[in-house]
Amino acid sequence: MKENSEQQALDLFWMQHALELAQRAESEGEVPVGAVLVLDEQVIGEGWNRPITDNDPTAHAEIMALRSAAKKLDNYRLLETTLYVTLEPCIMCSGAIIHSRVKRVVYGALDPKAGAAQSAFKILGTDKLNHQVNVDGGVLAKECGEILTTFFQKKRHKKKRGLSCD
């Protein structure tokens, strides 16, 4: 693994990119979550939440990034990759991350209700499955959490005023 300070700088750089993708999701009326998959310091896949836009309950940012990368590499195995995502992955996304053999996940904000990396569940690192993922959380956690908090506050405010939420 890279020297610690070099790795921290890379983690901040790629998480900032994921935050930009989260902003894209928000601009489309989606929950603002972004994800970028990196191999050898190059983007091989990226995504942002699109379940509403695509009418697809599986169109989470992580899934979109994994799909994009698998097509680019022409392989469903995404070995030696790092996935940067602004919100701790859910159970569905964690399963896809394991099946695709992502090496490392770096996330921003914790998801205490549905997080499956370290919060509500600990799926990514369990020794009960045939692949374990290295997990590092809390990178730009404040910024990643604020974009979500602000998004949901706006939705609640619109709902209170009787305006459409979508």
Short mmCIF file of all heavy atoms in Angstrom, two decimals, residues 91-126:
data_model
loop_
_atom_site.label_atom_id
_atom_site.label_comp_id
_atom_site.label_asym_id
_atom_site.label_seq_id
_atom_site.Cartn_x
_atom_site.Cartn_y
_atom_site.Cartn_z
N ILE A 91 -26.73 -2.83 2.06
CA ILE A 91 -26.58 -4.28 1.92
C ILE A 91 -26.50 -4.68 0.46
O ILE A 91 -25.62 -5.47 0.07
CB ILE A 91 -27.75 -5.01 2.62
CG1 ILE A 91 -27.68 -4.80 4.13
CG2 ILE A 91 -27.74 -6.49 2.27
CD1 ILE A 91 -28.88 -5.30 4.88
N MET A 92 -27.38 -4.15 -0.38
CA MET A 92 -27.38 -4.51 -1.81
C MET A 92 -26.04 -4.15 -2.45
O MET A 92 -25.42 -4.98 -3.14
CB MET A 92 -28.51 -3.79 -2.55
CG MET A 92 -28.48 -4.01 -4.06
SD MET A 92 -29.71 -3.04 -4.94
CE MET A 92 -29.07 -1.37 -4.74
N CYS A 93 -25.59 -2.93 -2.22
CA CYS A 93 -24.35 -2.47 -2.83
C CYS A 93 -23.15 -3.24 -2.28
O CYS A 93 -22.23 -3.58 -3.02
CB CYS A 93 -24.17 -0.97 -2.64
SG CYS A 93 -25.41 -0.03 -3.57
N SER A 94 -23.18 -3.55 -0.99
CA SER A 94 -22.10 -4.33 -0.40
C SER A 94 -22.01 -5.71 -1.04
O SER A 94 -20.90 -6.20 -1.32
CB SER A 94 -22.29 -4.45 1.11
OG SER A 94 -22.14 -3.18 1.71
N GLY A 95 -23.15 -6.32 -1.30
CA GLY A 95 -23.14 -7.62 -1.99
C GLY A 95 -22.52 -7.51 -3.38
O GLY A 95 -21.69 -8.36 -3.77
N ALA A 96 -22.87 -6.48 -4.12
CA ALA A 96 -22.30 -6.29 -5.45
C ALA A 96 -20.80 -6.01 -5.39
O ALA A 96 -20.02 -6.49 -6.22
CB ALA A 96 -23.02 -5.15 -6.17
N ILE A 97 -20.39 -5.26 -4.38
CA ILE A 97 -18.97 -4.95 -4.19
C ILE A 97 -18.19 -6.24 -3.93
O ILE A 97 -17.12 -6.47 -4.50
CB ILE A 97 -18.79 -3.93 -3.03
CG1 ILE A 97 -19.31 -2.56 -3.46
CG2 ILE A 97 -17.35 -3.88 -2.55
CD1 ILE A 97 -19.55 -1.59 -2.30
N ILE A 98 -18.74 -7.11 -3.10
CA ILE A 98 -18.09 -8.39 -2.80
C ILE A 98 -18.04 -9.27 -4.04
O ILE A 98 -16.99 -9.82 -4.38
CB ILE A 98 -18.82 -9.11 -1.64
CG1 ILE A 98 -18.56 -8.35 -0.34
CG2 ILE A 98 -18.39 -10.57 -1.53
CD1 ILE A 98 -19.47 -8.74 0.81
N HIS A 99 -19.16 -9.39 -4.75
CA HIS A 99 -19.19 -10.25 -5.95
C HIS A 99 -18.24 -9.77 -7.03
O HIS A 99 -17.72 -10.57 -7.80
CB HIS A 99 -20.61 -10.37 -6.49
CG HIS A 99 -21.48 -11.25 -5.66
ND1 HIS A 99 -21.23 -12.59 -5.47
CD2 HIS A 99 -22.58 -10.98 -4.93
CE1 HIS A 99 -22.14 -13.11 -4.67
NE2 HIS A 99 -22.98 -12.14 -4.33
N SER A 100 -18.02 -8.47 -7.11
CA SER A 100 -17.13 -7.94 -8.14
C SER A 100 -15.67 -7.94 -7.70
O SER A 100 -14.79 -7.62 -8.48
CB SER A 100 -17.57 -6.53 -8.55
OG SER A 100 -17.47 -5.64 -7.47
N ARG A 101 -15.43 -8.29 -6.44
CA ARG A 101 -14.08 -8.41 -5.89
C ARG A 101 -13.32 -7.09 -5.78
O ARG A 101 -12.11 -7.03 -5.96
CB ARG A 101 -13.23 -9.42 -6.67
CG ARG A 101 -13.79 -10.81 -6.80
CD ARG A 101 -13.97 -11.47 -5.44
NE ARG A 101 -14.21 -12.90 -5.57
CZ ARG A 101 -15.41 -13.46 -5.56
NH1 ARG A 101 -16.49 -12.70 -5.44
NH2 ARG A 101 -15.55 -14.75 -5.64
N VAL A 102 -14.06 -6.02 -5.49
CA VAL A 102 -13.42 -4.74 -5.21
C VAL A 102 -12.48 -4.95 -4.01
O VAL A 102 -12.85 -5.61 -3.04
CB VAL A 102 -14.48 -3.65 -4.91
CG1 VAL A 102 -13.84 -2.39 -4.34
CG2 VAL A 102 -15.26 -3.34 -6.17
N LYS A 103 -11.30 -4.38 -4.07
CA LYS A 103 -10.31 -4.58 -3.00
C LYS A 103 -10.57 -3.69 -1.79
O LYS A 103 -10.42 -4.12 -0.65
CB LYS A 103 -8.91 -4.31 -3.54
CG LYS A 103 -7.81 -4.54 -2.52
CD LYS A 103 -6.44 -4.34 -3.13
CE LYS A 103 -5.35 -4.67 -2.12
NZ LYS A 103 -4.03 -4.61 -2.75
N ARG A 104 -10.96 -2.45 -2.06
CA ARG A 104 -11.06 -1.47 -0.97
C ARG A 104 -12.24 -0.54 -1.22
O ARG A 104 -12.49 -0.13 -2.35
CB ARG A 104 -9.77 -0.66 -0.93
CG ARG A 104 -9.69 0.38 0.15
CD ARG A 104 -8.26 0.97 0.22
NE ARG A 104 -8.20 2.04 1.18
CZ ARG A 104 -7.97 3.32 0.88
NH1 ARG A 104 -7.72 3.69 -0.36
NH2 ARG A 104 -7.95 4.22 1.83
N VAL A 105 -12.95 -0.19 -0.14
CA VAL A 105 -14.02 0.81 -0.19
C VAL A 105 -13.65 1.94 0.76
O VAL A 105 -13.29 1.70 1.92
CB VAL A 105 -15.39 0.21 0.21
CG1 VAL A 105 -16.43 1.30 0.42
CG2 VAL A 105 -15.87 -0.78 -0.84
N VAL A 106 -13.76 3.16 0.25
CA VAL A 106 -13.57 4.35 1.06
C VAL A 106 -14.88 5.12 1.00
O VAL A 106 -15.36 5.42 -0.09
CB VAL A 106 -12.41 5.21 0.50
CG1 VAL A 106 -12.24 6.47 1.35
CG2 VAL A 106 -11.12 4.41 0.45
N TYR A 107 -15.47 5.38 2.15
CA TYR A 107 -16.73 6.12 2.14
C TYR A 107 -16.64 7.36 3.01
O TYR A 107 -15.76 7.48 3.85
CB TYR A 107 -17.91 5.22 2.55
CG TYR A 107 -17.89 4.78 3.98
CD1 TYR A 107 -18.45 5.59 4.98
CD2 TYR A 107 -17.35 3.56 4.35
CE1 TYR A 107 -18.44 5.19 6.30
CE2 TYR A 107 -17.33 3.16 5.67
CZ TYR A 107 -17.87 3.97 6.64
OH TYR A 107 -17.87 3.58 7.95
N GLY A 108 -17.58 8.26 2.78
CA GLY A 108 -17.63 9.52 3.52
C GLY A 108 -18.48 9.41 4.76
O GLY A 108 -17.98 9.14 5.85
N ALA A 109 -19.78 9.61 4.61
CA ALA A 109 -20.71 9.65 5.74
C ALA A 109 -21.16 8.25 6.15
O ALA A 109 -21.38 7.38 5.31
CB ALA A 109 -21.92 10.50 5.39
N LEU A 110 -21.32 8.07 7.44
CA LEU A 110 -21.92 6.84 7.96
C LEU A 110 -23.40 6.81 7.64
O LEU A 110 -24.04 7.86 7.55
CB LEU A 110 -21.77 6.79 9.49
CG LEU A 110 -20.41 6.47 10.06
CD1 LEU A 110 -20.43 6.70 11.57
CD2 LEU A 110 -20.03 5.04 9.76
N ASP A 111 -23.94 5.61 7.50
CA ASP A 111 -25.38 5.43 7.36
C ASP A 111 -25.84 4.53 8.50
O ASP A 111 -25.86 3.31 8.37
CB ASP A 111 -25.73 4.82 6.01
CG ASP A 111 -27.23 4.72 5.78
OD1 ASP A 111 -28.01 4.96 6.73
OD2 ASP A 111 -27.63 4.41 4.65
N PRO A 112 -26.16 5.13 9.67
CA PRO A 112 -26.46 4.32 10.85
C PRO A 112 -27.69 3.42 10.71
O PRO A 112 -27.79 2.42 11.41
CB PRO A 112 -26.67 5.35 11.96
CG PRO A 112 -26.79 6.67 11.31
CD PRO A 112 -26.22 6.56 9.94
N LYS A 113 -28.59 3.73 9.80
CA LYS A 113 -29.80 2.91 9.64
C LYS A 113 -29.61 1.76 8.65
O LYS A 113 -30.20 0.70 8.82
CB LYS A 113 -30.97 3.77 9.17
CG LYS A 113 -31.46 4.73 10.24
CD LYS A 113 -32.66 5.50 9.75
CE LYS A 113 -33.14 6.47 10.81
NZ LYS A 113 -34.25 7.29 10.35
N ALA A 114 -28.83 1.97 7.60
CA ALA A 114 -28.73 0.95 6.55
C ALA A 114 -27.31 0.66 6.09
O ALA A 114 -27.12 -0.12 5.18
CB ALA A 114 -29.57 1.39 5.34
N GLY A 115 -26.32 1.26 6.73
CA GLY A 115 -24.94 1.04 6.32
C GLY A 115 -24.52 -0.41 6.53
O GLY A 115 -24.80 -1.00 7.57
N ALA A 116 -23.84 -0.97 5.54
CA ALA A 116 -23.46 -2.38 5.62
C ALA A 116 -21.95 -2.59 5.59
O ALA A 116 -21.47 -3.68 5.32
CB ALA A 116 -24.12 -3.15 4.47
N ALA A 117 -21.21 -1.52 5.88
CA ALA A 117 -19.76 -1.65 5.96
C ALA A 117 -19.31 -1.69 7.41
O ALA A 117 -18.53 -2.56 7.80
CB ALA A 117 -19.07 -0.49 5.23
N GLN A 118 -19.85 -0.76 8.21
CA GLN A 118 -19.42 -0.68 9.60
C GLN A 118 -20.53 -0.27 10.57
O GLN A 118 -20.40 -0.48 11.76
CB GLN A 118 -18.27 0.33 9.73
CG GLN A 118 -17.03 -0.12 8.99
CD GLN A 118 -15.91 0.89 9.03
OE1 GLN A 118 -16.14 2.09 8.98
NE2 GLN A 118 -14.68 0.41 9.11
N SER A 119 -21.62 0.29 10.09
CA SER A 119 -22.65 0.84 10.98
C SER A 119 -23.67 -0.21 11.41
O SER A 119 -23.47 -0.90 12.40
CB SER A 119 -23.37 2.01 10.31
OG SER A 119 -22.50 3.09 10.17
N ALA A 120 -24.74 -0.31 10.66
CA ALA A 120 -25.83 -1.22 11.02
C ALA A 120 -25.45 -2.68 10.81
O ALA A 120 -25.86 -3.56 11.57
CB ALA A 120 -27.08 -0.88 10.22
N PHE A 121 -24.65 -2.93 9.76
CA PHE A 121 -24.20 -4.28 9.41
C PHE A 121 -22.71 -4.21 9.07
O PHE A 121 -22.20 -3.16 8.73
CB PHE A 121 -24.98 -4.81 8.20
CG PHE A 121 -26.47 -4.73 8.37
CD1 PHE A 121 -27.18 -3.66 7.86
CD2 PHE A 121 -27.15 -5.72 9.06
CE1 PHE A 121 -28.56 -3.57 8.03
CE2 PHE A 121 -28.53 -5.63 9.24
CZ PHE A 121 -29.24 -4.55 8.72
N LYS A 122 -22.06 -5.34 9.14
CA LYS A 122 -20.63 -5.41 8.82
C LYS A 122 -20.40 -6.49 7.77
O LYS A 122 -19.73 -7.50 8.02
CB LYS A 122 -19.82 -5.66 10.08
CG LYS A 122 -19.84 -4.48 11.03
CD LYS A 122 -19.13 -4.78 12.32
CE LYS A 122 -19.06 -3.62 13.26
NZ LYS A 122 -20.26 -2.95 13.59
N ILE A 123 -20.94 -6.27 6.59
CA ILE A 123 -20.90 -7.27 5.54
C ILE A 123 -19.57 -7.28 4.79
O ILE A 123 -19.04 -8.33 4.46
CB ILE A 123 -22.08 -7.06 4.57
CG1 ILE A 123 -23.39 -7.38 5.30
CG2 ILE A 123 -21.93 -7.90 3.31
CD1 ILE A 123 -24.63 -7.06 4.54
N LEU A 124 -19.03 -6.11 4.50
CA LEU A 124 -17.84 -6.04 3.64
C LEU A 124 -16.62 -6.76 4.20
O LEU A 124 -15.84 -7.33 3.45
CB LEU A 124 -17.50 -4.59 3.31
CG LEU A 124 -18.49 -3.86 2.41
CD1 LEU A 124 -18.04 -2.43 2.17
CD2 LEU A 124 -18.68 -4.59 1.09
N GLY A 125 -16.44 -6.74 5.49
CA GLY A 125 -15.24 -7.34 6.06
C GLY A 125 -15.45 -8.70 6.72
O GLY A 125 -14.52 -9.26 7.26
N THR A 126 -16.66 -9.23 6.64
CA THR A 126 -16.94 -10.48 7.33
C THR A 126 -16.09 -11.63 6.77
O THR A 126 -15.85 -11.71 5.56
CB THR A 126 -18.43 -10.86 7.26
OG1 THR A 126 -18.62 -12.07 8.01
CG2 THR A 126 -18.91 -11.10 5.84
#
